Amino acid sequence: MDEACIDLNVKRGFDLFDESDRGAAIVGAALLEDTLATLLKDNMSSVAMSQKQVRDIFDLSGPLSNFSAKISIAFAFAFIDKVTFNDLQIVRKIRNSFAHSAGKLSFADVSIASQVQNMYCFRYAKDQLPFFSSECKLMVDEHGRSYGELLPFSKAAFSIAIQHLQTRVMFSSTIRKMRQDGIELPLRFIVFKDIYDS
């Protein structure tokens, strides 16, 4: 696959850019899993359950000890929408591919790149990466300046999609509640109009 590349210096601040491909997949999934755990804990009754009981639910042998369970429960209780659920499942599969691969796997591999492109959040990420070379040459900015450090486009898109997905997880139920309550979607949330309209 002829993998597009982007300059690493253009979007500094996304920690996943600095990770290896395996690290980006595993750390990205861990960030989302932590966000889901926080969402679920915040919605548990602090009156009915002690802190230890809540911890036990998320511990190694607890019912919400793994990423898959957290995704399913968040969706079952309508804390996340269907699009977010699907993207989280893709991230989980990508994470598993990297975690269980004995060989060298990268975001340039067709199987991984196609999964990234199947993410709804890929559309958002792609819009955030307007300047990339389709031939992995040096990236050029809008002023014609080139940069030396290149990053595969699918890894860059995945890294940005993770952050976007994290925000979707945090605000999905709030945005849908706005719609139910007849509150207009604030302009700063317009990127989440699909949640509001669902």
Side-chain angles (χ1 to χ4, degrees), residues 16-69:
L16 297 182
F17 279 13
D18 297 327
E19 297 285 341
S20 66
D21 284 15
R22 185 182 304 271
I26 293 170
V27 171
L31 290 170
L32 291 171
E33 186 172 358
D34 286 348
T35 303
L36 280 169
T38 300
L39 174 73
L40 294 169
K41 287 174 185 175
D42 287 350
N43 284 283
M44 289 181 176
S45 172
S46 58
V47 175
M49 299 182 75
S50 69
Q51 287 184 353
K52 183 189 180 316
Q53 289 171 319
V54 171
R55 270 195 317 273
D56 288 346
I57 289 173
F58 292 90
D59 275 350
L60 291 176
S61 60
L64 295 178
S65 62
N66 64 57
F67 194 18
S68 182

Side-chain angles (χ1 to χ4, degrees), residues 4-11 128-151:
C5 296
I6 80 146
D7 172 38
L8 186 59
N9 298 306
V10 171
K11 289 280 184 182
Q128 302 304 304
L129 301 169
F131 305 108
F132 66 94
S133 160
S134 61
E135 294 146 4
C136 290
K137 294 179 182 171
L138 292 180
M139 195 181 111
V140 179
D141 70 10
E142 67 271 25
H143 304 293
R145 292 181 300 235
S146 63
Y147 299 87
E149 205 172 351
L150 297 174
L151 189 70

